[in-house]
Amino acid sequence: MDHKKKVIERLSKCTAGEESLPLPALTKASVLIPLFVREGKLQVLMTVRSTELKHNAGEVCFPGGKSDRNDRDEIDTALREAEEEIGLPPDEVEVVCRLIPVLNQRGLLVTPVVGFISESFHARPNPAEVSDVFSVPLEFFLKNTQHSAYPVPNVGGMTHSFIFTDPLTDKIHHIWGLTASLTILLAVLVFERKPEYEVGFDVDNPMVNFRRELQHRLSKL
């Protein structure tokens, strides 16, 4: 079994929706977590938000945004936003799964959608929304070398922070907050092992923990 097939097999067991969760009427959003394999290593594609944006300007994130009334579901939202932001055609994404929705600091219910894209994909960033696109080896998020954590509540526990230097451009990227938490979760699910640092959830049952965290936060609304 090749690397991609193994990842798909593991993640297909983790797919989740909102059907079993008693959700209040919240504004929904989705992000696409694009994966691809380069030289035998699993990579995750990330973007840097334009400094002109009203919210989270200049931060590292995944392609995504609020749902539109014409979107059929959370996957449709993620694919539409990825096409608008980085020129990724929806039919070039092999959707693998949806992870547990998370409630962000702005009160949006965000559904992470994981999908494979081609290694040859060349991003065409929309300058109004995205200032840069880069990729990081997913395994990087299990290591403690460029990692730090803060006792500030976030999705899955504390707030995590990573400093990544892109070997292709020498640009330094600060990856933290919700983006870091989702990537840590994905790395744990894919590689099925504990990070070199402490996380705020049970790595043996991460999806259960994230679901409980969502239910806890929703109960306080």
Side-chain angles (χ1 to χ4, degrees):
M1 181 183 296
D2 63 32
H3 195 47
K4 178 180 174 181
K5 288 183 178 178
K6 184 180 292 186
V7 171
I8 291 175
E9 182 181 88
R10 289 177 178 176
L11 289 180
S12 62
K13 301 174 184 177
C14 304
T15 192
E18 304 170 12
E19 296 81 3
S20 60
L21 293 172
L23 298 176
L26 297 172
T27 301
K28 295 182 179 180
S30 293
V31 295
L32 178 67
I33 306 180
L35 300 176
F36 66 92
V37 179
R38 176 194 291 154
E39 297 179 351
K41 289 187 177 182
L42 190 63
Q43 305 276 331
V44 57
L45 194 75
M46 295 183 165
T47 68
V48 180
R49 290 172 62 84
S50 167
T51 56
E52 302 301 316
L53 291 173
K54 182 178 180 181
H55 299 290
N56 306 107
E59 292 186 4
V60 172
C61 64
F62 295 113
K66 293 181 182 179
S67 62
D68 184 273
R69 63 181 180 181
N70 295 320
D71 293 338
R72 292 168 295 181
D73 54 23
E74 295 81 10
I75 293 175
D76 213 30
T77 300
L79 296 180
R80 174 182 54 76
E81 287 285 341
E83 183 172 32
E84 292 176 3
E85 292 184 8
I86 60 174
L88 176 61
D91 60 2
E92 293 185 13
V93 180
E94 183 180 354
V95 175
V96 179
C97 70
R98 291 184 298 171
L99 300 179
I100 294 292
V102 296
L103 194 64
N104 74 3
Q105 293 181 341
R106 292 170 52 204
L108 295 176
L109 190 65
V110 182
T111 297
V113 177
V114 184
F116 268 95
I117 63 174
S118 170
E119 177 190 353
S120 62
F121 168 68
H122 181 70
R124 291 178 286 105
N126 177 350
E129 299 188 64
V130 175
S131 64
D132 199 6
V133 179
F134 65 101
S135 64
V136 187
L138 185 60
E139 197 168 14
F140 172 81
F141 295 94
L142 294 179
K143 299 178 180 179
N144 198 36
T145 309
Q146 299 296 327
H147 165 267
S148 58
Y150 310 93
V152 179
N154 203 309
V155 175
M158 62 187 72
T159 295
H160 294 273
S161 173
F162 297 88
I163 300 298
F164 175 74
T165 302
D166 189 341
L168 300 178
T169 63
D170 287 330
K171 291 182 180 178
I172 298 174
H173 298 286
H174 181 203
I175 307 164
W176 69 289
L178 178 59
T179 300
S181 294
L182 291 178
T183 315
I184 292 168
L185 170 63
L186 184 62
V188 168
L189 294 173
V190 166
F191 295 107
E192 296 184 334
R193 71 173 190 263
K194 184 182 183 299
E196 295 176 354
Y197 50 85
E198 290 300 319
V199 293
F201 60 89
D202 181 0
V203 295
D204 293 323
N205 297 287
M207 295 293 279
V208 172
N209 277 245
F210 270 68
R211 180 179 291 272
R212 287 174 180 167
E213 173 65 17
L214 176 60
Q215 292 172 324
H216 174 69
R217 296 193 66 184
L218 291 176
S219 69
K220 294 188 173 183
L221 295 180

